[in-house]
Amino acid sequence: MAYPYQIKSEEQYKEHYKRSVENPEAFWAEIAENFSWRKKWNKVLEWDFRKPKIEWFIGGKLNITENCLDRHLTENANKTAILWEPNNPHEKARSFTYKELFDEVCLFANVLRNNGIKKGDRVCIYLPMVPELSIAMLACARIGAIHSVVFGGFSAIALRDRIDDAGCSLVITSDGAYRGEKQISMKDTIDDALLGCESVKRVIVLSRTNKPISMIGGRDVWWDDEIKAAQNIIGDKCEAEEMDAEDMLFILYTSGSTGKPKGVVHTTGGYMVWTTYTFVNTFQYSPDQIHFCTADLGWITGHSYTLYGPLCAGATTIMFEGIPTYPDAGRFWDIVDKYKVDILYTAPTAIRSLMASGVSWFEGKDLSSLKVLGSVGEPINEEAWHWYDENVGKKKCPIVDTWWQTETAGIMISNLAGVTPSKPTFATLPLPGVQPVIVDDKGNELAGGDVSGNLCIKFPWPGIVRDNYGNTERYRQSYFSTYENLYFSGDGCLRDNDGNYRITGRVDDVLNVSGHRIGTAEVENAINMHTGVVESAVVAFPHAIKGEGIYAYVILKGMHIDEDHTKKDINETVSRIIGAIAKPDKIQFVKELPKTRSGKIMRRILRKIAEKNDDTGDTSTLLNPGIVDEIKQGARNM
Ligand code: PRX
């Protein structure tokens, strides 16, 4: 497959960028021509950030799976689409050619149809990183059902919130999951989540760990049985549903600054064009390469760069079920060596944790196939950047530091591998079509170099979030109300004199723990549910491996047994309400929280204390200035 839109030189980047700003509609129309549409669009773009309403490729008709699968069958039917590496290196790996994947997707799409699922229905997918997860997502897209994939690490309560919010009628899960040495009970979690849930009529269960599980009559069915049944009733062929370019493709929940997760909505045409375009350009993918994105499909990185982007580009993509440190810290290098990986795309937190394990894990591993390295999800610190460059890339692989978000669907700011220069800790330059601006707190645009402020985007790109599921007002408030006529990212950044952007982290109440987005309000709500807690405040603190750790200040009304025990109880509560990923790293019991006279918690002060910075600034305007020294003292004793 050729990519006529692939940028091959720095000059070309500049020229494409200029065109994308001067005439975005012509620019994107030309790129969209490279996809397969049942009917071409009438108009490329209509938008108004004030409403907000954004539409791309208006009137266009397509099915994304015809782009991920069908169109590769003429020339690349036998090319490998997915290479699956199991958690246990001794278990047999699996792989699917484009034709095999096509067949599996059609079969499972018929299973969904046979279970009454039709265009527009919402399907919750809660599966481990097995090929069936990709198959299930694509099968939904094939028949126009909207998938909502929930990461396996979320608790039953978090899962229920997401299922309820989207009004899912069907859930796809497995008996269990393998994760390193652990076995996780996926079905038990689903069973708890579905207690009292009325919308879900059917649960399709894949057998992965063969552990005994409860199967509820009339509701729960086995994946394999359903495949046989659908084959008998419908057969193997599955005509793809015709979708409008702006029909919903999926919902993906992510954290915002309030307690309730946001259902980020992406639609079909723009998402397809954007993820494929950014995949091919950022990583400079060429059709014979092996692409390894380590992200779980439960996150946007997995959606866009393990699945949809690579498959639309006809690439070979690796799905890895396990973790970087199992059975040992050499696992990524084993995989690179085994599959002769060309592109490795991972998160700084993984790099830092492998860095801490030392370089002996590289011994005997051939990494010479690597051409491009990528980083995503959080700022990469200088030390990790150089370690990645020297030990993994052997100083010959460009590193792309890709800044983007669940809401942007694909990479927004990044160097293009080997085409535009990298600069350690800088995401560098915007991709064509992306028009970033830096604003101060009042919304004034800061022009030129050597400036820092809040990162906004002033023009839509094809992958921009289209809605907050079921709550358009929240959509407006989250992204388009802080600054007039701008999309606000929630990130702070600076720009150097060459126009390179460096992302400095969130400026709202969102934490980034091991590259996972977690809202402080969500964690506080969870902590406050513990019977002994009166009030709490959660802030981030710098963490050597996780990037940011969770620091909770908690006012107790009563303790169960002793402090340590109570801390464990609180962690248990947070695990139950959100999931283990949101457990605080540190809990400090306090008598009061520093508050303004109007009762607002002064998080700025709490952040300083958590960072071990004694300079808490002016505290005289507080309702209770005396508490600051007491909290500082408590922090020193921790
Ligand atoms: O703070 C930014 C950080 O991750 C946030 C988005 O998180 P999420 O929606 O979960 O998507 C993660 C995968 C794209 C951003 O607001 N972030 C992401 N990439 C970078 C980054 N921070 C610094 N540098 C990056 N390359």
Side-chain angles (χ1 to χ4, degrees), residues 1-68:
M1 196 176 181
Y3 313 115
Y5 49 85
Q6 193 170 49
I7 297 166
K8 285 287 165 205
S9 67
E10 201 173 349
E11 291 65 45
Q12 221 184 10
Y13 162 74
K14 287 181 187 151
E15 190 242 312
H16 283 219
Y17 187 80
K18 191 160 170 278
R19 262 201 299 134
S20 79
V21 173
E22 285 173 356
N23 196 346
E25 295 199 35
F27 180 82
W28 287 110
E30 201 181 311
I31 291 159
E33 292 284 355
N34 294 285
F35 293 79
S36 113
W37 299 82
R38 295 238 186 128
K39 176 180 165 288
K40 249 179 81 171
W41 53 92
N42 312 316
K43 191 164 191 312
V44 175
L45 170 67
E46 269 184 26
W47 69 289
D48 184 347
F49 279 172
R50 289 187 175 92
K51 276 185 182 159
K53 182 135 184 88
I54 303 150
E55 292 180 307
W56 281 91
F57 309 112
I58 299 150
K61 304 283 179 196
L62 74 158
N63 186 291
I64 195 169
T65 67
E66 291 185 336
N67 285 272
C68 290

Side-chain angles (χ1 to χ4, degrees), residues 174-458:
S174 67
D175 46 2
Y178 297 114
R179 211 174 144 70
E181 276 168 5
K182 289 192 210 136
Q183 267 202 40
I184 297 156
S185 312
M186 309 286 279
K187 179 62 166 59
D188 293 354
T189 308
I190 287 285
D191 287 340
D192 290 347
L194 295 187
L195 286 174
C197 166
E198 288 182 0
S199 64
V200 173
K201 305 284 183 257
R202 179 68 79 230
V203 179
I204 299 179
V205 186
L206 176 80
S207 179
R208 173 70 188 119
T209 53
N210 289 315
K211 93 184 228 346
I213 52 166
S214 147
M215 291 290 281
I216 304 291
R219 188 193 74 181
D220 300 354
V221 292
W222 291 105
W223 176 293
D224 290 342
D225 293 346
E226 288 307 294
I227 294 272
K228 285 185 204 117
Q231 251 170 331
N232 288 336
I233 297 165
I234 310 181
D236 298 345
K237 302 266 175 311
C238 177
E239 180 71 13
E241 190 78 30
E242 184 168 283
M243 305 294 281
D244 190 272
E246 281 300 333
D247 276 339
M248 234 182 259
L249 176 63
F250 65 83
I251 306 168
L252 187 56
Y253 285 88
T254 189
S255 296
S257 46
T258 64
K260 199 170 157 351
K262 300 188 279 197
V264 169
V265 168
H266 285 295
T267 57
T268 308
Y271 178 82
M272 170 183 76
V273 171
W274 182 240
T275 51
T276 313
Y277 176 81
T278 51
F279 169 71
V280 164
N281 277 302
T282 309
F283 302 105
Q284 287 292 300
Y285 184 79
S286 76
D288 54 338
Q289 291 185 332
I290 309 290
H291 175 72
F292 180 22
C293 168
T294 68
D296 192 289
L297 288 189
W299 307 111
I300 191 69
T301 311
H303 278 58
S304 299
Y305 298 113
T306 305
L307 194 67
Y308 284 111
L311 293 186
C312 280
T316 301
T317 180
I318 294 180
M319 274 184 88
F320 173 41
E321 185 186 32
I323 56 171
T325 48
Y326 179 79
D328 58 47
R331 188 65 193 277
F332 275 1
W333 324 132
D334 289 329
I335 296 174
V336 170
D337 191 345
K338 175 173 175 186
Y339 296 102
K340 306 292 166 228
V341 170
D342 294 272
I343 302 166
L344 174 67
Y345 190 33
T346 194
T349 187
I351 300 169
R352 286 190 298 263
S353 104
L354 296 175
M355 188 165 93
S357 314
V359 292
S360 64
W361 299 106
F362 291 106
E363 277 166 27
K365 318 277 162 83
D366 179 9
L367 305 190
S368 63
S369 58
L370 285 172
K371 318 260 176 335
V372 173
L373 304 178
S375 172
V376 59
E378 44 172 328
I380 179 163
N381 50 309
E382 193 124 15
E383 195 190 355
W385 196 100
H386 286 294
W387 185 88
Y388 200 26
D389 183 36
E390 283 159 27
N391 295 288
V392 186
K394 317 288 182 206
K395 291 199 143 200
K396 65 172 182 58
C397 301
I399 297 177
V400 288
D401 178 356
T402 62
W403 174 79
W404 58 293
Q405 309 178 296
T406 305
E407 292 87 344
T408 73
I411 296 163
M412 299 287 281
I413 304 183
S414 173
N415 49 314
L416 310 182
V419 169
T420 59
S422 62
K423 179 171 177 177
T425 76
F426 281 73
T428 75
L429 300 173
L431 266 85
V434 177
Q435 301 187 33
V437 289
I438 301 181
V439 298
D440 65 16
D441 285 337
K442 295 193 182 64
N444 301 311
E445 185 171 337
L446 305 174
D450 201 14
V451 289
S452 66
N454 297 332
L455 178 59
C456 295
I457 315 286
K458 70 175 176 194

Side-chain angles (χ1 to χ4, degrees), residues 92-105:
K92 198 169 172 296
R94 295 164 70 192
S95 78
F96 296 79
T97 64
Y98 272 94
K99 175 69 168 73
E100 288 164 342
L101 185 60
F102 170 80
D103 289 342
E104 297 284 341
V105 168

